[in-house]
Amino acid sequence: METLFTPFQSLLGGVLVGIAAVMLMGLMGRIMGATGILSGLVTPTAMSEWDWRAALLAGMTTGPGVILLLTGQMPAVQVPVTTPMLIIGGLIVGLGATYGSGCTSGHGVCGMARISTRSIVATLTFMFTTAFTVYVIRHVLGG
């Protein structure tokens, strides 16, 4: 399996996520953790909470449509695993985000920037687990 290296697109994406995280913190005092945003959208405490969460989630999900408008074609997406593997992976990520009190965007982007010990430990755990999982799938299981 080949992993494409896209330094410029990755840098641009990282810069945009960073700007969005800083703006959300600066303007609303909120941390841009995708899991918390989504859960607050499903069970909002106030309508003002629902509005900004829905707008942010819409912005997160409309990227391919923007690419289609700008280039005339949808971005190529290759998913090298089966649908059951995607479902299992999604469930594992959901459990991890629940028990870890947040996801990679909340801990890795916002928590690390705030030098939160809990987020540093969580991010190191994400990174170690990811590296270990990739190693096992590619080199032990031959996937």
Side-chain angles (χ1 to χ4, degrees), residues 22-83:
V22 168
M23 287 179 62
L24 188 61
M25 178 59 83
L27 297 174
M28 302 196 69
R30 300 293 188 171
I31 291 175
M32 195 173 98
T35 305
I37 291 168
L38 182 59
S39 67
L41 185 66
V42 174
T43 56
T45 56
M47 193 56 173
S48 61
E49 286 290 305
W50 192 90
D51 292 345
W52 73 264
R53 291 172 191 271
L56 190 59
L57 188 63
M60 289 178 177
T61 58
T62 56
V66 172
I67 297 295
L68 175 64
L69 288 174
L70 293 175
T71 66
Q73 61 185 359
M74 288 295 282
V77 176
Q78 296 176 347
V79 182
V81 296
T82 63
T83 301

Side-chain angles (χ1 to χ4, degrees), residues 3-143:
T3 303
L4 298 177
F5 180 58
T6 57
F8 299 113
Q9 294 93 328
S10 300
L11 177 62
L12 177 61
V15 168
L16 291 174
V17 168
I19 290 170
V22 168
M23 287 179 62
L24 188 61
M25 178 59 83
L27 297 174
M28 302 196 69
R30 300 293 188 171
I31 291 175
M32 195 173 98
T35 305
I37 291 168
L38 182 59
S39 67
L41 185 66
V42 174
T43 56
T45 56
M47 193 56 173
S48 61
E49 286 290 305
W50 192 90
D51 292 345
W52 73 264
R53 291 172 191 271
L56 190 59
L57 188 63
M60 289 178 177
T61 58
T62 56
V66 172
I67 297 295
L68 175 64
L69 288 174
L70 293 175
T71 66
Q73 61 185 359
M74 288 295 282
V77 176
Q78 296 176 347
V79 182
V81 296
T82 63
T83 301
M85 289 294 284
L86 286 174
I87 293 169
I88 291 168
L91 291 172
I92 292 170
V93 168
L95 285 171
T98 300
Y99 289 118
S101 300
C103 59
T104 53
S105 56
H107 286 299
V109 176
C110 301
M112 294 282 287
R114 295 181 303 115
I115 313 174
S116 162
T117 303
R118 182 174 81 162
S119 291
I120 292 168
V121 170
T123 303
L124 289 171
T125 303
F126 298 153
M127 298 305 289
F128 173 78
T129 305
T130 301
F132 179 75
T133 303
V134 169
Y135 177 81
V136 168
I137 289 174
R138 287 192 178 178
H139 302 290
V140 175
L141 300 177

